[in-house]
Amino acid sequence: FGAGVTGNLEREQESLAKEAVNSMQTLGPTFIKLGQVLSIRPDVLPPVAMQELSRLQDEIATFDSNTARQIIRDELGCEQLEDVFSELSDEPIAAASLAQVYRGR
């Protein structure tokens, strides 16, 4: 907001775009999807912002594996993941805007 008022918008485009990406990741999946859509819209955003937003296409931070394991237990209705899986990776093998993936058997 301040950069637009002070006339420094062009000079601060990159830092504003980085801040927007960080905020979208903090706000969660809906905002990450919005950023992904905007990252391919040259009619809406300047190239600097699009480039920064493109990080949301393939550089999504994972969330805590303990939280993910609890979600899996809740969704499957089990107390122990060993009741369902003989193996489940400790860390995700991939992450996207709406989910992260674990290797399991």
Side-chain angles (χ1 to χ4, degrees), residues 21-59:
V21 168
N22 292 338
S23 295
M24 287 175 176
Q25 286 186 322
T26 299
L27 291 167
T30 302
F31 290 90
I32 291 170
K33 278 291 176 200
L34 175 62
Q36 289 171 339
V37 168
L38 290 173
S39 75
I40 58 170
R41 295 294 308 268
D43 58 320
V44 177
L45 293 173
V48 171
M50 289 174 48
Q51 181 178 355
E52 194 61 38
L53 287 169
S54 72
R55 287 186 15 221
L56 296 172
Q57 299 288 350
D58 58 6
E59 295 179 23

Side-chain angles (χ1 to χ4, degrees), residues 42-79:
D43 58 320
V44 177
L45 293 173
V48 171
M50 289 174 48
Q51 181 178 355
E52 194 61 38
L53 287 169
S54 72
R55 287 186 15 221
L56 296 172
Q57 299 288 350
D58 58 6
E59 295 179 23
I60 302 296
T62 60
F63 60 90
D64 179 62
S65 286
N66 290 328
T67 301
R69 289 174 175 280
Q70 185 59 52
I71 291 169
I72 294 168
R73 280 192 291 274
D74 292 345
E75 290 293 320
L76 295 176
C78 64
E79 289 190 33

